[in-house]
Amino acid sequence: MTTSTQNLIQAVDRADSSESLVAAVRSLAAAKDEAGIATLIAVLGYNNPVAAVAAVEGLTQLGAKAVKPLIDKLDGYNYGARAYSIRAIAAIADPLALEVLATAAATDFAPSVRRAAAKGLGNLHWQNIATPADRAAAQHQALETLLSVSQDSDWSIRYAAVVGLHGLLQLSDLQAKIQPHLIQIIESDPDSAVRARAQLALGVSADRYGRV
């Protein structure tokens, strides 16, 4: 750890106001130093949304090197911190996080966590999976999770699942499974926002189905 990064970490630890904390976190995030990962993750659990967003941005910029620490330190009690962590993991989009995102999307009790995970599932960097067989299996797991989540009772979670399905729709091998499901959502989902988002994913006009 460089002296500069150590000073930035100490500034976060010593912040005595909301404003000074936000400034310190932004400075640490801007340093893009792996040594600051643990401190940025800790900030996700503070009661300071602006600082947490800055920490998410910093962790996202650090990329794949931040994924395992984020997974290892997922907060099982503080759902707000967990939601921010999942947002960072989803934004980094490393397939290493597939299991965590799939589990969170399907089972977490916090809607904010489930929404972030569902959106992230559709946009992982699949090209980082070495073998075609492993890549296909991972994509199938993401798809099955999102198909299930898209039937949730909470409209906002269904909406997030459609966003995830839109991401997977870019994969030609999955289009034949996703398109009919999106059409079914357009024709039958009780919420207009979910139907509209499915239409956007398919690129069809609203008047074709007449329910938005």
Side-chain angles (χ1 to χ4, degrees), residues 16 20 31 47 51 95 105 192 210:
D16 57 3
S20 62
N47 187 24
S192 61

Side-chain angles (χ1 to χ4, degrees), residues 32-55:
K32 300 180 183 179
D33 189 331
E34 186 175 353
I37 289 175
T39 300
L40 291 173
I41 292 174
V43 170
L44 303 179
Y46 297 173
N47 187 24
N48 189 317
V50 179
V53 169

Side-chain angles (χ1 to χ4, degrees), residues 149-203:
V149 173
S150 70
Q151 302 175 59
D152 196 85
S153 59
D154 185 325
W155 77 267
S156 69
I157 292 174
R158 297 199 307 276
Y159 186 100
V162 172
V163 174
L165 288 169
H166 190 179
L168 290 182
L169 195 59
Q170 312 312 308
L171 304 173
S172 58
D173 291 347
L174 300 183
Q175 290 175 358
K177 290 186 177 180
I178 296 173
Q179 290 171 342
H181 189 76
L182 291 175
I183 290 172
Q184 181 181 7
I185 289 172
I186 294 168
E187 293 177 340
S188 63
D189 195 279
D191 189 272
S192 61
V194 178
R195 297 196 301 272
R197 190 60 184 81
Q199 288 176 341
L200 176 64
L202 280 178

Side-chain angles (χ1 to χ4, degrees), residues 71 74-76 82 86 89-90 94-122 124 126 138 140-149 152 157:
I71 292 173
L74 273 178
D75 195 322
R82 194 163 65 255
I86 292 294
I89 291 169
D94 191 320
L96 176 66
L98 172 64
E99 292 289 345
V100 167
L101 292 176
T103 299
T107 66
D108 201 284
F109 75 87
S112 57
V113 175
R114 298 187 66 194
R115 289 193 297 267
K119 292 176 182 178
L121 271 176
L124 296 176
W126 304 110
H140 180 76
Q141 181 179 355
L143 173 60
E144 291 303 312
T145 301
L146 289 172
L147 290 177
S148 175
V149 173
D152 196 85
I157 292 174

Side-chain angles (χ1 to χ4, degrees), residues 50-100:
V50 179
V53 169
V56 168
E57 292 173 354
L59 290 162
T60 301
Q61 291 173 355
L62 284 162
K65 64 185 72 172
V67 173
K68 190 174 187 307
L70 278 162
I71 292 173
D72 290 344
K73 292 184 178 296
L74 273 178
D75 195 322
Y77 299 97
N78 184 336
Y79 71 85
R82 194 163 65 255
Y84 284 122
S85 293
I86 292 294
R87 281 175 58 182
I89 291 169
I92 294 168
D94 191 320
L96 176 66
L98 172 64
E99 292 289 345
V100 167

